Amino acid sequence: MLHLFNKQILIGSPVNGKVVDLNEVNDPVFSGRTLGDGCAVIPQGNRICSPCNGKIVQIIDTNHAFCILSDDGLEILVHIGLDTVKLKGTGFKRLKEEGMPVKMGEPVMEVDLSYLREQKKEIITPIVITNMEKVSSLKIAKGTTDSSGIIMKVKLK
Amino acid sequence: MIRVKITDRNGLHARPAGLVTSIAQAYPGEVFLEKGHERCNAKNIFAVMALEAECGDFVNVTACGQDSEKIEKEI
């Protein structure tokens, strides 16, 4: 494996929407950076895509979250909405399976945002790097974005 | 080693898994969770979530090193 010093990795938005700081997420597990650091997107589209090139290492049973291992070695968790585990899979449709390779921008999950709203679930979607011990710096790009617009710039140690 | 029963209706999902991981990461020794034949590193959030421990499942919590009982109880 090549060691690239201070290589910058670009993370794309999984969906069109508005990028915000994790502090704006109404769940201390995310706003408190318990799982790692990153940002969140308030989605406007219903296709949630991979934020980077890599492999889908896990899709949670209830389809509300998935984990990608990027080609650069970052473990990225995309958690669609808050408390959405309680929907037990309704409102989510898997478009890919665990173990599949993905490219940035490839759709992984389809979500019914209106169903989530009906069920009084917040749709804000945290995107968190869970292996922050590999990261030396992380910059987020707040504001409106298209799917695959760059939302985070990460430098590895 | 401590054996626990998952009582959360939603199982060991992101929120509790995150709490388990952050407690485990603060401990210098190794910490494992075991469900049936599957064993995972409690310090790795992906591994803990992959265990897919559901409501009613029994999980063994094992820590290796000093104060292992204390960390097991905390988890």
Side-chain angles (χ1 to χ4, degrees):
Chain A
M1 198 151 149
L2 287 173
H3 270 291
L4 293 154
F5 294 101
N6 288 322
K7 178 185 171 182
Q8 187 164 255
I9 298 164
L10 303 174
I11 307 293
S13 182
V15 64
N16 352 328
K18 185 178 165 202
V19 182
V20 297
D21 198 288
L22 276 180
N23 295 339
E24 296 196 32
V25 178
N26 219 350
D27 185 331
V29 158
F30 295 109
S31 59
R33 272 105 179 141
T34 308
L35 299 179
D37 206 350
C39 63
V41 182
I42 302 172
Q44 277 157 9
N46 63 355
R47 288 204 143 191
I48 312 298
C49 306
S50 180
C52 57
N53 294 350
K55 187 170 120 166
I56 303 177
V57 292
Q58 202 191 338
I59 304 179
I60 304 300
D61 259 2
T62 41
N63 290 337
H64 69 285
F66 58 87
C67 308
I68 307 281
L69 177 62
S70 83
D71 285 343
D72 305 292
L74 291 175
E75 291 174 355
I76 304 179
L77 168 67
V78 178
H79 194 287
I80 308 169
L82 303 182
D83 268 347
T84 35
V85 60
K86 296 189 172 143
L87 300 178
K88 305 220 182 281
T90 309
F92 296 93
K93 183 177 162 192
R94 235 178 240 221
L95 302 172
K96 290 256 187 283
E97 288 301 333
E98 285 177 3
M100 283 183 164
V102 275
K103 294 271 179 229
M104 187 192 290
E106 267 191 72
V108 176
M109 196 66 69
E110 210 167 76
V111 59
D112 185 344
L113 294 177
S114 41
Y115 178 70
L116 262 60
R117 286 191 186 103
E118 257 174 60
Q119 297 298 314
K120 307 264 190 283
K121 297 296 172 214
E122 287 197 49
I123 62 172
I124 190 167
T125 294
I127 297 127
V128 175
I129 296 171
T130 59
N131 58 345
M132 286 299 292
E133 67 277 5
K134 294 200 166 162
V135 173
S136 85
S137 76
L138 187 157
K139 278 199 183 116
I140 77 171
K142 288 190 265 198
T144 316
T145 183
D146 287 333
S147 180
S148 296
I150 301 308
I151 57 172
M152 288 197 276
K153 292 182 181 175
V154 180
K155 278 200 178 140
L156 296 181
K157 285 188 176 147
Chain B
M1 193 261 284
I2 289 183
R3 192 167 168 86
V4 294
K5 186 175 179 186
I6 308 290
T7 53
D8 188 323
R9 265 181 316 143
N10 299 305
L12 196 57
H13 63 101
R15 182 178 300 126
L19 293 171
V20 166
T21 304
S22 60
I23 294 169
Q25 280 173 358
Y27 183 68
E30 290 186 309
V31 189
F32 297 105
L33 298 184
E34 247 175 304
K35 184 190 104 170
H37 299 299
E38 289 174 66
R39 183 185 235 219
C40 77
N41 178 357
K43 298 187 186 200
N44 183 324
I45 179 70
F46 281 22
V48 174
M49 296 209 296
L51 206 57
E52 285 179 342
E54 288 171 29
C55 185
D57 280 347
F58 284 96
V59 173
N60 292 337
V61 182
T62 309
C64 307
Q66 249 186 338
D67 295 328
S68 58
E69 266 184 47
K70 188 172 166 217
I71 190 79
E72 285 168 5
K73 284 195 180 127
E74 216 181 315
I75 287 176

